[in-house]
Amino acid sequence: MKLFHVDASAKREWSNSRALSRHFIDLLKQQRPDVEVDYLDVSVDTPAHVDELFTIATYTPEADRTPAMKQALQASDALCARLLAADAYVFAMPMYNFSMPSSFKAFIDNIVRTNLTYKIGEDGSYVGQLADKVLFITTRGADLRPGTPFSAMDALTPALRAAFGFMGVAAPTFVDAQPLTFSAAEEREAALVRAKAELAAVAGEWAATR
Ligand SMILES: Cc1cc2nc3c(=O)[nH]c(=O)nc-3n(C[C@H](O)[C@H](O)[C@H](O)COP(=O)(O)O)c2cc1C
């Protein structure tokens, strides 16, 4: 199994999302020694923001691109190739201001590419090209679970679902650890215990598949 693993927390050794993604991959590797990991830390290797040349180049048919356009798309092409070479994905990130870290948004802006991560069928339909095995691990300071007063402010889950749904990921798995900051210590502990139990279940499911 080729796994593409992306971390996005600005925090390093104190990061909960990093610790949880490492924990998941350890659990998976214990059951599947064939797991190969391609790792990207977007808080360090942050993909470039979309600039004007990129916007023109990305919608110019490949055969018509100038050398400058090709150059503008080079890093994005390479990221898409890494994604398309994988058959499973783990994306770990904290919630920042109700949505994703801007480094992960820059990553998304680099990987949603016509004729690479999605294709357009003859009938005009969009056909996503990513493998449908995606785990999002998110960490949140507050508790935004359904039924809580803050649940309507969760702009992270729908944004991830939309972007990856467009690239063919119909049923991603979410493990959301919350509340991890703005709560009593027992609630934080319980949130981590819940997240680890959910990760163990996902690792077991993934280990049992091809
Ligand atoms: C800049 C910033 C913005 C944040 N915004 C939110 C937020 O909107 N909602 C929330 O629940 N927690 C928010 N938090 C808290 C983090 O999501 C939380 O501490 C999380 O566990 C951090 O994950 P990490 O340890 O992997 O960095 C924010 C933290 C930072 C640093």
Side-chain angles (χ1 to χ4, degrees):
M1 186 188 300
K2 284 190 180 159
L3 189 77
F4 194 23
H5 171 201
V6 179
D7 276 325
S9 175
K11 279 197 267 169
R12 308 216 64 79
E13 61 263 46
W14 299 107
S15 159
N16 279 305
S17 57
R18 286 175 191 275
L20 290 172
S21 68
R22 264 198 314 271
H23 177 69
F24 173 76
I25 287 167
D26 287 347
L27 289 177
L28 186 61
K29 278 184 165 169
Q30 283 162 19
Q31 300 167 74
R32 284 288 296 260
D34 65 316
V35 168
E36 284 171 38
V37 179
D38 180 10
Y39 181 69
L40 174 65
D41 183 342
V42 291
S43 83
V44 175
D45 294 314
T46 309
H49 288 300
V50 167
D51 63 10
E52 188 177 28
L53 190 54
F54 184 103
T55 66
I56 297 165
T58 191
Y59 295 117
T60 299
E62 199 176 344
D64 300 334
R65 284 181 193 145
T66 63
M69 287 181 191
K70 288 181 186 159
Q71 171 69 32
L73 294 176
Q74 214 169 43
S76 156
D77 288 344
L79 273 183
C80 290
R82 286 171 74 177
L83 277 161
L84 293 169
D87 39 43
Y89 310 92
V90 175
F91 300 120
M93 74 200 73
M95 174 180 276
Y96 284 166
N97 300 311
F98 311 104
S99 188
M100 66 189 82
S102 56
S103 57
F104 198 81
K105 179 61 166 62
F107 173 70
I108 288 179
D109 288 340
N110 274 264
I111 61 168
V112 182
R113 291 279 310 281
T114 322
N115 290 330
L116 290 174
T117 52
Y118 73 92
K119 295 189 176 172
I120 303 173
E122 282 184 6
D123 60 354
S125 61
Y126 295 101
V127 187
Q129 301 296 309
L130 295 195
D132 193 12
K133 198 183 277 184
V134 174
L135 170 62
F136 291 111
I137 300 171
T138 80
T139 48
R140 294 117 185 258
D143 193 347
L144 295 97
R145 283 177 291 171
T148 63
F150 291 117
S151 63
M153 294 169 84
D154 176 6
L156 174 57
T157 312
L160 293 174
R161 271 191 198 285
F164 284 82
F166 191 66
M167 293 184 283
V169 183
T173 301
F174 281 85
V175 171
D176 304 315
Q178 57 191 335
L180 291 185
T181 316
F182 315 121
S183 60
E186 312 82 71
E187 284 183 67
R188 277 179 252 163
E189 195 44 48
L192 287 174
V193 169
R194 257 194 323 270
K196 285 185 177 167
E198 291 174 30
L199 291 174
V202 181
E205 277 167 37
W206 283 23
T209 60
R210 201 163 56 83

